[in-house]
């Protein structure tokens, strides 16, 4: 077992059962239990998504946690923000067993603090060190079961009513078979007519359960066929949302801009978020990754935080991404009116495979005049020819990602191509 293969930047994930199995889950439980006992002195809430392998992994995880002397509260099955919500209410660390938007051959684990936000790198690495060194605390913990779903769903509906009021709409929902299956009932409670694409289907019916437009043709066609007002989809653990409205899938930054019109600034966003968000309020940027975003949101008491990949959090509910709460709020808004307020910006993206990401980024930075560099928080963000460009290392593969943005589409395209060619030149040299 090599923990460095499955301990990622933000969570733990790997192929099941080749890289993550029941033995791994028990050792992970021992490691997390030891860390919590030594540093946080809290109980641990455990939840899972609705994939069959998540149940056996969850039981093994619980067994490992209890062997470290830490008590476990099993809250059943639900979205990751349900686990975080329960942890916050019970003042406990929380864990979600889930592969999130990954292909179904994967599984994994997400850890959240008692405040509800995800573990930052330092603490995730500390758990990894305990796992690797096998220096476990021993004791006898106990497990109890607590169903908090009514508390969670009632709180989400009450919270949504603070921001939206008109759910008299026809809405198509595609949960892809994941934990978002609870969403249609909540929307109906608020007054919506709902067409539930998961109705009559067992289990998870899309692999991967990722709400990307390329996976959502059924949602699109159902909206068109039924003359629905909008379509909504979540991933397996419902921490992401995609919205289909008036013949197109809304960009992540557009959804962020719609939500930002509901709050007072500042908001916290990852560095790859569109500059157009700044048209509405003050924005404070972080590295890409929800633990960084939420950690800073808590630090400055931001009401809203998120990323353009479909992650959004109203932090007073819980400082974790909630595709369920976001769906309830956005479906009760006048989306067209909100979109009309958003200026047009062209955003173009490209990825380049590279072996030595950091060396390449260092070479690129040296080629840019200092006065044009806007940020080196996560990669390099700089301006050129009426465009802003972000070049950052991928957190999951040997690639660098390029994002070019400008009010002028030609400028965005021209600068992206120029930067892409420069990176290709650096790559070939070295």
């Amino acid at each position: 077992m090599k923990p460095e293969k499955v301990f990622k930047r933000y969570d733990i994930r790997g192929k099941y059962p080749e890289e993550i199995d029941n033995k791994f889950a028990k050792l992970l439980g021992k490691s997390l239990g030891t860390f919590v006992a030594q540093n946080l002195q809290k109980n641990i809430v455990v939840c899972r998504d609705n994939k069959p392998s998540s149940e056996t992994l969850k039981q093994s995880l619980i067994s490992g946690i209890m062997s470290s002397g830490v008590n476990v509260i099993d809250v059943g099955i639900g979205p990751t923000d349900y686990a975080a919500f329960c942890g916050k209410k019970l003042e406990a660390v929380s864990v979600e067993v889930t592969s999130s938007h990954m292909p179904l051959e994967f599984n994994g684990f997400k850890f959240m603090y008692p405040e509800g936000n995800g573990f930052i790198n330092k603490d995730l690495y500390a758990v990894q060190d305990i796992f690797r060194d096998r220096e476990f605390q021993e004791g006898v913990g106990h497990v109890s079961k607590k169903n908090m779903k009514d508390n969670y769903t009632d709180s989400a509906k009450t919270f949504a009513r603070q921001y939206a009021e008109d759910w008299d709409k026809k809405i198509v929902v595609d949960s892809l078979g994941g934990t978002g299956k609870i969403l249609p009932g909540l929307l109906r409670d608020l007054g919506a007519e709902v067409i539930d694409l998961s109705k009559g289907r067992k289990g998870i019916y899309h692999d991967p359960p990722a709400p990307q437009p390329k996976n959502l043709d059924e949602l699109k066609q159902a909206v068109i066929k039924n003359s629905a007002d909008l379509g909504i989809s979540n991933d397996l653990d419902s921490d992401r949302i995609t919205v289909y409205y008036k013949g197109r899938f809304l960009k992540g930054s557009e959804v962020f801009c719609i939500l930002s019109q509901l709050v007072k600034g500042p908001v916290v966003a990852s560095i790859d978020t569109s500059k157009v968000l700044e048209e509405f309020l003050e924005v404070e940027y972080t590295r890409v990754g929800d633990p960084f975003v939420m950690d800073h949101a808590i630090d400055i008491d931001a009401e809203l935080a998120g990323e353009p990949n479909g992650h959004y959090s109203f932090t007073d509910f819980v400082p974790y991404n909630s595709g369920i709460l976001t769906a309830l709020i956005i479906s009760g808004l006048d989306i067209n009116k909100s979109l009309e307020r958003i200026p047009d910006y062209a955003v173009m993206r490209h990825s380049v495979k590279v072996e030595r990401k950091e060396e390449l980024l260092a070479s690129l930075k040296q080629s840019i005049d200092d006065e044009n560099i806007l940020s080196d928080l996560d990669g390099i963000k700089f301006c050129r020819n009426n465009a802003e460009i972000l070049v950052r290392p991928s957190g999951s593969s040997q690639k660098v990602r390029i994002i070019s943005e400008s009010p002028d589409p030609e400028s965005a395209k021209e600068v992206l191509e120029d930067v892409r060619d420069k990176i290709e030149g650096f790559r070939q040299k070295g």
Side-chain angles (χ1 to χ4, degrees):
M1 268 183 211
K2 296 181 179 180
E4 60 273 10
K5 287 193 69 176
V6 296
F7 277 78
K8 308 297 184 181
R9 287 179 72 188
Y10 325 125
D11 54 21
I12 298 161
R13 60 180 183 271
K15 290 184 178 181
Y16 175 88
E18 295 91 338
E19 296 173 331
I20 288 179
D21 59 10
N22 295 340
K23 181 180 178 182
F24 175 93
K26 185 170 185 178
L27 290 171
L28 182 64
K30 289 175 177 285
S31 305
L32 177 63
T34 299
F35 174 83
V36 170
Q38 293 175 349
N39 296 278
L40 300 172
Q41 295 84 48
K42 298 286 186 180
N43 295 332
I44 299 178
V45 163
V46 179
C47 185
R48 72 171 178 92
D49 65 28
N50 56 319
K51 188 160 57 174
S53 64
S54 297
E55 173 60 21
T56 57
L57 290 174
K58 175 181 165 184
Q59 294 307 320
S60 297
L61 179 80
I62 289 173
S63 175
I65 293 170
M66 290 193 299
S67 73
S68 67
V70 175
N71 293 329
V72 174
I73 305 165
D74 182 350
V75 296
I77 301 172
T80 297
D81 76 296
Y82 166 64
F85 176 90
C86 295
K88 183 180 178 183
K89 291 292 184 182
L90 298 172
E91 299 183 352
V93 170
S94 55
V95 183
E96 176 85 357
V97 183
T98 184
S99 55
S100 192
H101 61 286
M102 301 287 287
L104 295 180
E105 63 181 326
F106 286 80
N107 217 320
F109 307 84
K110 296 181 178 182
F111 300 158
M112 285 75 71
Y113 297 109
E115 294 79 10
N117 58 311
F119 270 32
I120 59 175
N121 290 159
K122 173 176 67 70
D123 290 334
L124 194 58
Y125 294 154
V127 175
Q128 178 180 340
D129 289 342
I130 296 169
F131 185 104
R132 184 180 56 244
D133 297 338
R134 303 290 200 271
E135 295 179 355
F136 304 130
Q137 177 171 299
E138 294 186 2
V140 180
H142 303 281
V143 61
S144 60
K145 293 190 176 183
K146 192 174 184 68
N147 187 336
M148 298 181 65
K149 287 192 180 70
D150 287 346
N151 190 343
Y152 166 78
T153 55
D154 288 345
S155 296
K157 287 182 289 186
T158 299
F159 197 94
R161 289 189 183 104
Q162 298 178 51
Y163 296 97
E165 57 184 21
D166 180 16
W167 285 275
D168 184 17
K169 298 170 184 173
K170 185 185 291 187
I171 303 170
V172 178
V173 176
D174 190 355
S175 68
L176 305 176
T179 58
K181 286 184 176 182
I182 64 172
L183 180 58
L186 301 183
L187 288 169
R188 290 188 184 107
D189 289 345
L190 291 170
E193 178 185 349
V194 181
I195 299 165
D196 180 5
L197 297 186
S198 72
K199 187 177 180 180
R201 301 162 100 166
K202 293 183 179 179
I204 303 157
Y205 52 82
H206 199 287
D207 187 9
Q212 298 170 313
K214 65 181 181 181
N215 298 331
L216 298 177
D217 189 62
E218 185 180 359
L219 175 73
K220 173 183 173 180
Q221 296 305 324
V223 170
I224 295 169
K225 177 182 176 182
N226 294 281
S227 300
D229 294 289
L230 72 155
I232 293 173
S233 183
N234 300 118
D235 63 341
L236 179 58
D237 68 327
S238 301
D239 69 339
R240 295 176 187 239
I241 181 174
T242 297
V243 178
Y244 184 79
Y245 179 74
K246 285 200 170 180
R248 67 184 182 90
F249 290 98
L250 299 187
K251 299 173 186 175
S253 288
E254 286 180 304
V255 174
F256 210 162
C257 286
I258 291 171
L259 300 176
S260 74
Q261 295 174 44
L262 305 175
V263 303
K264 296 179 180 179
V267 299
V268 176
S270 55
I271 192 68
D272 58 338
T273 301
S274 171
K275 177 182 173 63
V276 73
L277 189 63
E278 297 175 16
E279 298 285 336
F280 297 97
L281 32 63
E282 179 186 350
V283 182
E284 295 199 13
Y285 294 101
T286 72
R287 294 171 59 190
V288 173
D290 61 271
F292 311 119
V293 174
M294 296 306 160
D295 186 55
H296 190 57
I298 289 174
D299 282 347
I300 69 167
D301 197 24
E303 190 177 349
L304 175 66
E307 301 178 270
N309 61 1
H311 282 161
Y312 313 101
S313 169
F314 285 83
T315 58
D316 286 344
F317 180 70
V318 65
Y320 199 88
N321 308 305
S322 178
I324 299 296
L325 179 62
T326 302
L328 296 182
I329 291 173
I330 204 164
S331 61
L333 299 175
D334 185 337
I335 297 175
N336 195 59
K337 186 175 179 181
S338 299
L339 286 173
E340 287 176 350
R341 299 189 183 111
I342 303 174
D344 288 333
Y345 269 73
V347 180
M348 300 185 181
R349 299 171 185 267
H350 188 73
S351 296
V352 180
K353 290 185 178 181
V354 297
E355 292 299 321
R356 296 187 292 274
K357 293 181 282 190
E358 298 303 330
E359 289 181 22
L360 184 145
L361 288 169
S363 297
L364 179 63
K365 186 175 182 179
Q366 288 178 356
S367 71
I368 302 167
D369 292 338
D370 288 345
E371 62 267 24
N372 291 331
I373 294 178
L374 303 172
S375 172
D376 57 4
L377 187 65
D378 189 354
I380 310 158
K381 192 171 190 176
F382 58 99
C383 57
R384 178 183 295 173
N385 298 346
N386 197 32
E388 288 191 2
I389 308 92
L390 173 67
V391 183
R392 58 173 294 272
S394 167
S396 58
S397 60
Q398 289 299 107
K399 295 178 180 178
V400 293
R401 305 193 187 280
I402 310 168
I403 304 173
S404 178
E405 179 176 24
S406 174
D408 175 30
E410 285 301 317
S411 294
K413 182 180 182 218
E414 180 182 325
V415 173
L416 182 139
E417 291 174 348
D418 179 58
V419 172
R420 178 200 63 198
D421 292 345
K422 183 169 286 190
I423 289 172
E424 288 285 2
F426 288 139
R427 185 175 67 84
Q428 291 170 11
K429 286 180 182 177

